[in-house]
Amino acid sequence: AQSVAQPEDQVNVAEGNPLTVKCTYSVSGNPYLFWYVQYPNRGLQFLLKYITGDNLVKGSYGFEAEFNKSQTSFHLKKPSALVSDSALYFCALTGGSYIPTFGRGTSLIVHP
Amino acid sequence: DTEVTQTPKHLVMGMTNKKSLKCEQHMGHRAMYWYKQKAKKPPELMFVYSYEKLSINESVPSRFSPECPNSSLLNLHLHALQPEDSALYLCASSPVDMVGRTTQYFGPGTRLTVL
């Protein structure tokens, strides 16, 4: 069985400060990891994914994520947060299937 | 075109009504999905169609009936719903030829309220 954990329900950060949204995973095979963002009353939007190769993945809107196999983590980061980054963020994992397992979501609040 | 469209955006229905949700994509994706999402929760998978055939039904009550008329369209027929079925219903699509590596593309959702 595979699983995804997002340990924080909510992350608060001041505008201009760096942000991190945490994700850890468990899977028996190769992990394929994704981050999606959801703005209020909208569908999920793809941000970035790790399939293979470089452990640092760059995505949309200045976001990046670092894959760490030894710590089974895939944390989402951004060097300088914007108020417009405030949204719900989901980490997702696919293993041997094309059906993703989603984490419970982390609400990011960026304060002006 | 990397867009998944869903209609209607909002739907209010009574428990005895019959209504349908529609989803369309023109990216050539051969997997299409219905999800149900409650506020501030992750999407819950309901159905998956692969090559227009139902491949996964996550034990969804029969009052939800999916249909995939062709490779671009996905419908969800609703009948005799309960108030607890009120949620955001999301459609998504993805390729199926790169197992595990494929990105899902989501529509904006239909906000359903059952009175």
Side-chain angles (χ1 to χ4, degrees):
Chain A
Q2 60 188 45
S3 64
V4 177
Q6 293 181 243
E8 302 152 318
D9 278 339
Q10 184 171 303
V11 169
N12 291 278
V13 65
E15 188 174 31
N17 284 1
L19 69 88
T20 299
V21 183
K22 296 179 180 177
C23 173
T24 59
Y25 68 91
S26 174
V27 67
S28 56
N30 290 324
Y32 303 119
L33 293 153
F34 302 77
W35 277 101
Y36 291 87
V37 61
Q38 185 176 31
Y39 298 99
N41 297 312
R42 301 293 296 171
L44 279 67
Q45 296 178 32
F46 169 72
L47 276 180
L48 51 80
K49 66 182 177 183
Y50 171 82
I51 301 301
T52 188
D54 195 345
N55 289 344
L56 183 64
V57 179
K58 294 189 183 297
S60 306
Y61 312 121
F63 283 93
E64 59 188 29
E66 186 166 11
F67 172 69
N68 188 316
K69 188 172 184 178
S70 63
Q71 296 186 4
T72 62
S73 66
F74 189 56
H75 300 331
L76 182 69
K77 301 183 180 186
K78 188 175 182 182
S80 178
L82 299 172
V83 172
S84 57
D85 293 329
S86 299
L88 188 56
Y89 290 80
F90 291 102
C91 182
L93 165 73
T94 61
S97 161
Y98 57 87
I99 311 297
T101 298
F102 287 93
R104 66 177 181 172
T106 298
S107 180
L108 174 66
I109 299 175
V110 181
H111 302 276
Chain B
D1 183 3
T2 60
E3 189 179 22
V4 176
T5 59
Q6 289 187 244
T7 56
K9 290 186 177 180
H10 302 275
L11 179 62
V12 179
M13 59 187 291
M15 289 190 284
T16 58
N17 292 157
K18 286 185 180 181
K19 297 286 185 183
S20 297
L21 310 185
K22 296 185 184 301
C23 173
E24 190 167 4
Q25 57 90 14
H26 295 287
M27 293 177 278
H29 292 166
R30 302 307 295 275
M32 295 187 76
Y33 312 73
W34 280 115
Y35 287 90
K36 174 183 178 181
Q37 187 183 28
K38 292 282 196 178
K40 295 190 180 293
K41 299 294 186 184
E44 299 172 35
L45 185 65
M46 299 175 71
F47 303 103
V48 182
Y49 275 81
S50 176
Y51 296 101
E52 296 88 70
K53 294 191 186 308
L54 183 64
S55 60
I56 295 177
N57 176 341
E58 291 287 308
S59 302
V60 179
S62 60
R63 57 186 184 266
F64 295 92
S65 176
E67 178 194 21
C68 190
N70 59 54
S71 60
S72 300
L73 293 174
L74 187 65
N75 298 322
L76 186 63
H77 303 297
L78 314 173
H79 174 55
L81 294 192
Q82 303 297 310
E84 60 265 28
D85 296 322
S86 298
L88 183 67
Y89 286 83
L90 294 167
C91 173
S93 71
S94 75
V96 294
D97 53 343
M98 293 172 64
V99 172
R101 307 180 182 202
T102 58
T103 301
Q104 287 196 319
Y105 292 82
F106 285 82
T110 293
R111 175 71 61 189
L112 174 67
T113 303
V114 182
L115 301 176

